[in-house]
Amino acid sequence: MRRCCQGVGLPCLFKGVGMAGTRPPRFLLVFDFDETIVDENSDDSVARGRALPEELRQSPRGGSYNEHMRRVLAFLGEQGVRPAELRAVYENIPLSPGMAELFQLLSKHQELFELVLISDANTFGVEAKLRAAGVRSLFRKVFSNPAGFDRRGVLTLGPYHSHKCPRCPANMCKRKILGEYLAERAREDVEFQRVFYVGDGANDFCPAGTLREADVAFPRKGYPMHRLIQESQEKQPGAFPAAVVPWESAAEVARYLQELLRRKC
C-alpha cells in the first residue's frame, strides 16, 4: 500500500489531483537571476573588457549600486556601445550548472509550478537572456529594475521601487515584492501550498526569511544567501523556519522537486 506524503512528514502535494472538476495544486518557484539562473553577475559581464574611467571601475562602497550601474551604462552608450551589442552580451552569459536540466523539468510540469523572477539586474538584460535560453514563457512575472534605450541608443536604468527595509538596497526589496505578489495572487484565489526560493545573494536572504515551515529555500552553496542563513541558524535556532537545501548545480534542485512529485498520495 502506498504511503501518503504525510506519512513521511510532508503535506500531501497531490490531494485532489485527478478528481473531476478540480485543478492540480500549485506551487510558487521564485528565482533570482545573477549567479543563480546565469553563472555570472550580468553587470560584470557588460563591463568586462571595457575601458572604464577610474571612478566607474569599482563598485561603490556605501553608495547606490543601481545609480553606479546607471552611470556605467550611460558611459558605455556615450562610447558608442549599441543596443545590439549589449543584447548579445546578455544573451551569451552562460547558464549556471544544471539550470537547463531544472528548466526542462519545470517545462514538463507547468500545471504544478508557477514561476516568477525577482532580480536587481535590469529588465532588458533579464528578458534578453530568458528569451535566448528559450525559457521566457515559463515565467509568469519578471520583477527587475526598469531599463530601456533612449533616443541616443543609451540603455537607461531606473530603480524598481522605494521601500523602508533597512537590510536591502534603496532601489529594491525582494521581500516586499514577494509579499505583494503573494497578496495579489491570494486576491485572485490562488493560494500556494508551498513556495520554493532559488537564489544566491544577500538580497535573497531578506525574502527567504518570510518562508514558512512548508517552504524550501535553495541557496547557492557558499554564496552570501547560504552564509547568512547559516549564521541566522547558529545565532537563533529556529529563526529561519523553512527547509534549506543548498545547491552547487541546479540539477540538485531538480532532483529535490522530482522527489516531491514522486511522492504522490
Side-chain angles (χ1 to χ4, degrees):
M1 179 178 179
R2 189 195 302 268
R3 295 174 63 191
C4 177
C5 303
Q6 293 171 333
V8 290
L10 296 170
C12 179
L13 300 183
F14 288 83
K15 186 177 181 180
V17 174
M19 297 180 183
T22 60
R23 188 173 64 178
R26 304 182 71 178
F27 309 97
L28 181 65
L29 188 51
V30 184
F31 281 90
D32 174 46
F33 181 69
D34 288 326
E35 297 185 298
T36 296
I37 288 181
V38 294
D39 204 24
E40 299 177 359
N41 182 309
S42 59
D43 292 333
D44 293 342
S45 302
V46 167
R48 185 179 298 121
R50 312 286 186 183
L52 297 177
E54 182 63 32
E55 64 269 19
L56 296 180
R57 290 179 188 172
Q58 300 296 326
S59 299
R61 293 185 178 181
S64 169
Y65 187 77
N66 183 260
E67 292 180 2
H68 168 73
M69 279 308 301
R70 199 178 310 166
R71 292 192 293 269
V72 169
L73 293 170
F75 175 80
L76 294 179
E78 292 165 0
Q79 296 303 303
V81 178
R82 297 295 90 192
E85 185 177 351
L86 285 176
R87 182 183 297 276
V89 170
Y90 287 113
E91 290 177 342
N92 288 312
I93 300 173
L95 293 174
S96 290
M99 195 57 63
E101 181 178 331
L102 175 56
F103 283 138
Q104 288 173 359
L105 171 70
L106 295 171
S107 69
K108 296 176 183 177
H109 296 283
Q110 294 184 54
E111 77 284 1
L112 292 175
F113 294 99
E114 181 166 296
L115 274 60
V116 299
L117 186 152
I118 309 177
S119 167
D120 198 12
N122 68 78
T123 53
F124 174 77
V126 170
E127 295 274 0
K129 181 57 190 178
L130 294 182
R131 288 192 167 87
V135 298
R136 177 60 184 90
S137 62
L138 295 180
F139 289 86
R140 184 174 185 272
K141 285 283 185 73
V142 169
F143 301 95
S144 191
N145 298 303
F149 291 96
D150 64 15
R151 293 179 180 178
R152 301 169 298 161
V154 175
L155 184 60
T156 61
L157 177 66
Y160 180 80
H161 62 187
S162 61
H163 61 85
K164 296 180 180 179
C165 177
R167 178 184 293 276
C168 293
N171 63 293
M172 175 175 284
C173 174
K174 295 186 178 185
R175 182 189 192 116
K176 181 179 180 181
I177 294 171
L178 178 57
E180 290 175 346
Y181 184 77
L182 290 171
E184 172 191 322
R185 296 300 277 142
R187 290 192 296 271
E188 296 167 347
D189 295 323
V190 178
E191 296 281 357
F192 299 104
Q193 280 191 320
R194 287 186 172 196
V195 176
F196 304 100
Y197 195 106
V198 187
D200 75 285
N203 60 355
D204 296 310
F205 174 72
C206 184
T210 68
L211 300 179
R212 308 156 301 176
E213 289 185 12
D215 302 331
V216 183
F218 294 99
R220 193 167 186 181
K221 190 175 294 184
Y223 282 68
M225 180 186 178
H226 185 207
R227 292 195 294 269
L228 288 168
I229 291 174
Q230 290 177 315
E231 290 172 6
S232 70
Q233 291 173 325
E234 291 171 0
K235 290 178 181 177
Q236 187 178 352
F240 194 89
V244 180
V245 181
W247 59 279
E248 292 181 334
S249 166
E252 298 168 65
V253 179
R255 287 194 290 272
Y256 186 96
L257 297 178
Q258 281 180 315
E259 180 61 18
L260 289 181
L261 298 180
R262 187 185 65 80
R263 291 173 176 166
K264 297 180 182 180
C265 294

Short mmCIF file of all heavy atoms in Angstrom, two decimals, residues 41-52 56-57 65 68-69 72-73 76 86 89-90:
data_model
loop_
_atom_site.label_atom_id
_atom_site.label_comp_id
_atom_site.label_asym_id
_atom_site.label_seq_id
_atom_site.Cartn_x
_atom_site.Cartn_y
_atom_site.Cartn_z
N ASN A 41 27.58 37.61 -12.68
CA ASN A 41 26.85 38.84 -12.43
C ASN A 41 26.75 39.56 -13.77
O ASN A 41 27.76 39.91 -14.38
CB ASN A 41 27.61 39.69 -11.41
CG ASN A 41 26.89 40.98 -11.07
OD1 ASN A 41 26.48 41.74 -11.95
ND2 ASN A 41 26.74 41.23 -9.79
N SER A 42 25.53 39.77 -14.25
CA SER A 42 25.36 40.32 -15.60
C SER A 42 25.93 41.73 -15.72
O SER A 42 26.36 42.13 -16.81
CB SER A 42 23.88 40.31 -15.99
OG SER A 42 23.09 41.06 -15.07
N ASP A 43 25.95 42.49 -14.63
CA ASP A 43 26.57 43.81 -14.68
C ASP A 43 28.06 43.70 -14.95
O ASP A 43 28.63 44.49 -15.72
CB ASP A 43 26.33 44.56 -13.37
CG ASP A 43 24.87 44.94 -13.17
OD1 ASP A 43 24.15 45.09 -14.17
OD2 ASP A 43 24.46 45.08 -12.01
N ASP A 44 28.71 42.72 -14.32
CA ASP A 44 30.14 42.50 -14.58
C ASP A 44 30.36 42.07 -16.03
O ASP A 44 31.35 42.45 -16.65
CB ASP A 44 30.68 41.42 -13.64
CG ASP A 44 30.70 41.87 -12.19
OD1 ASP A 44 30.63 43.09 -11.93
OD2 ASP A 44 30.79 40.99 -11.30
N SER A 45 29.43 41.28 -16.56
CA SER A 45 29.55 40.80 -17.94
C SER A 45 29.53 41.97 -18.92
O SER A 45 30.29 42.01 -19.89
CB SER A 45 28.41 39.83 -18.26
OG SER A 45 28.41 38.73 -17.38
N VAL A 46 28.65 42.95 -18.65
CA VAL A 46 28.53 44.11 -19.53
C VAL A 46 29.79 44.97 -19.47
O VAL A 46 30.25 45.49 -20.50
CB VAL A 46 27.29 44.95 -19.13
CG1 VAL A 46 27.32 46.31 -19.80
CG2 VAL A 46 26.02 44.21 -19.48
N ALA A 47 30.37 45.10 -18.29
CA ALA A 47 31.53 45.98 -18.11
C ALA A 47 32.84 45.31 -18.48
O ALA A 47 33.86 46.00 -18.68
CB ALA A 47 31.59 46.46 -16.66
N ARG A 48 32.86 43.98 -18.57
CA ARG A 48 34.12 43.26 -18.79
C ARG A 48 34.78 43.69 -20.11
O ARG A 48 34.16 43.72 -21.16
CB ARG A 48 33.85 41.76 -18.81
CG ARG A 48 35.13 40.92 -18.92
CD ARG A 48 34.82 39.43 -18.92
NE ARG A 48 34.18 39.04 -17.67
CZ ARG A 48 32.97 38.48 -17.60
NH1 ARG A 48 32.28 38.24 -18.70
NH2 ARG A 48 32.47 38.15 -16.43
N GLY A 49 36.07 43.99 -20.02
CA GLY A 49 36.82 44.35 -21.21
C GLY A 49 36.63 45.77 -21.68
O GLY A 49 37.21 46.18 -22.70
N ARG A 50 35.82 46.56 -20.95
CA ARG A 50 35.59 47.95 -21.34
C ARG A 50 36.61 48.87 -20.66
O ARG A 50 37.00 48.64 -19.52
CB ARG A 50 34.19 48.40 -20.93
CG ARG A 50 33.09 47.44 -21.29
CD ARG A 50 32.77 47.44 -22.77
NE ARG A 50 31.61 46.59 -23.04
CZ ARG A 50 31.13 46.34 -24.25
NH1 ARG A 50 31.70 46.88 -25.31
NH2 ARG A 50 30.07 45.56 -24.41
N ALA A 51 36.99 49.90 -21.36
CA ALA A 51 37.94 50.87 -20.79
C ALA A 51 37.16 51.90 -19.99
O ALA A 51 36.93 53.02 -20.44
CB ALA A 51 38.73 51.52 -21.90
N LEU A 52 36.79 51.52 -18.79
CA LEU A 52 36.01 52.42 -17.94
C LEU A 52 36.93 53.41 -17.23
O LEU A 52 38.07 53.07 -16.89
CB LEU A 52 35.24 51.62 -16.89
CG LEU A 52 34.18 50.63 -17.38
CD1 LEU A 52 33.58 49.88 -16.20
CD2 LEU A 52 33.09 51.33 -18.17
N LEU A 56 34.52 54.55 -12.33
CA LEU A 56 33.50 53.55 -12.65
C LEU A 56 34.02 52.12 -12.58
O LEU A 56 33.27 51.18 -12.82
CB LEU A 56 32.93 53.80 -14.05
CG LEU A 56 32.17 55.12 -14.25
CD1 LEU A 56 31.67 55.23 -15.70
CD2 LEU A 56 31.00 55.23 -13.28
N ARG A 57 35.29 51.96 -12.27
CA ARG A 57 35.88 50.62 -12.27
C ARG A 57 35.49 49.79 -11.05
O ARG A 57 35.40 48.57 -11.11
CB ARG A 57 37.40 50.71 -12.35
CG ARG A 57 37.91 51.19 -13.70
CD ARG A 57 39.43 51.30 -13.70
NE ARG A 57 39.92 51.94 -14.91
CZ ARG A 57 41.18 52.29 -15.11
NH1 ARG A 57 42.08 52.05 -14.14
NH2 ARG A 57 41.54 52.88 -16.23
N TYR A 65 24.31 51.01 -5.73
CA TYR A 65 24.83 50.25 -6.85
C TYR A 65 23.98 50.48 -8.09
O TYR A 65 24.48 50.50 -9.21
CB TYR A 65 24.86 48.76 -6.50
CG TYR A 65 25.53 47.92 -7.56
CD1 TYR A 65 26.91 47.89 -7.66
CD2 TYR A 65 24.78 47.19 -8.47
CE1 TYR A 65 27.54 47.14 -8.65
CE2 TYR A 65 25.39 46.44 -9.47
CZ TYR A 65 26.78 46.42 -9.55
OH TYR A 65 27.39 45.69 -10.54
N HIS A 68 25.20 53.54 -9.63
CA HIS A 68 26.51 53.26 -10.22
C HIS A 68 26.35 52.62 -11.59
O HIS A 68 27.01 53.05 -12.57
CB HIS A 68 27.30 52.33 -9.29
CG HIS A 68 28.53 51.75 -9.91
ND1 HIS A 68 29.68 52.48 -10.14
CD2 HIS A 68 28.79 50.48 -10.37
CE1 HIS A 68 30.60 51.71 -10.70
NE2 HIS A 68 30.09 50.50 -10.85
N MET A 69 25.46 51.63 -11.70
CA MET A 69 25.27 50.97 -13.00
C MET A 69 24.60 51.91 -14.00
O MET A 69 24.84 51.81 -15.21
CB MET A 69 24.44 49.70 -12.83
CG MET A 69 25.25 48.51 -12.37
SD MET A 69 26.74 48.20 -13.37
CE MET A 69 26.04 47.94 -15.01
N VAL A 72 27.49 53.67 -15.42
CA VAL A 72 28.28 52.78 -16.29
C VAL A 72 27.60 52.63 -17.65
O VAL A 72 28.24 52.75 -18.70
CB VAL A 72 28.47 51.40 -15.63
CG1 VAL A 72 29.05 50.40 -16.63
CG2 VAL A 72 29.38 51.50 -14.41
N LEU A 73 26.30 52.37 -17.64
CA LEU A 73 25.57 52.18 -18.89
C LEU A 73 25.54 53.46 -19.71
O LEU A 73 25.63 53.42 -20.95
CB LEU A 73 24.15 51.69 -18.60
CG LEU A 73 24.06 50.27 -18.00
CD1 LEU A 73 22.64 49.99 -17.53
CD2 LEU A 73 24.52 49.22 -19.00
N LEU A 76 28.93 53.75 -21.38
CA LEU A 76 29.08 52.83 -22.50
C LEU A 76 28.31 53.33 -23.72
O LEU A 76 28.80 53.25 -24.86
CB LEU A 76 28.58 51.43 -22.11
CG LEU A 76 29.38 50.71 -21.02
CD1 LEU A 76 28.76 49.36 -20.70
CD2 LEU A 76 30.84 50.55 -21.44
N LEU A 86 24.94 45.15 -26.65
CA LEU A 86 24.56 44.86 -25.27
C LEU A 86 23.66 43.63 -25.20
O LEU A 86 23.82 42.78 -24.33
CB LEU A 86 23.86 46.06 -24.64
CG LEU A 86 24.76 47.25 -24.26
CD1 LEU A 86 23.90 48.39 -23.73
CD2 LEU A 86 25.80 46.84 -23.22
N VAL A 89 25.66 40.52 -25.38
CA VAL A 89 26.36 40.21 -24.13
C VAL A 89 25.44 39.45 -23.19
O VAL A 89 25.80 38.40 -22.65
CB VAL A 89 26.86 41.51 -23.45
CG1 VAL A 89 27.37 41.19 -22.04
CG2 VAL A 89 27.97 42.15 -24.26
N TYR A 90 24.25 39.97 -22.98
CA TYR A 90 23.31 39.30 -22.07
C TYR A 90 22.92 37.91 -22.58
O TYR A 90 22.85 36.95 -21.81
CB TYR A 90 22.05 40.15 -21.90
CG TYR A 90 22.25 41.40 -21.07
CD1 TYR A 90 22.15 42.67 -21.64
CD2 TYR A 90 22.52 41.31 -19.71
CE1 TYR A 90 22.33 43.82 -20.88
CE2 TYR A 90 22.70 42.46 -18.94
CZ TYR A 90 22.61 43.71 -19.53
OH TYR A 90 22.79 44.84 -18.77
#
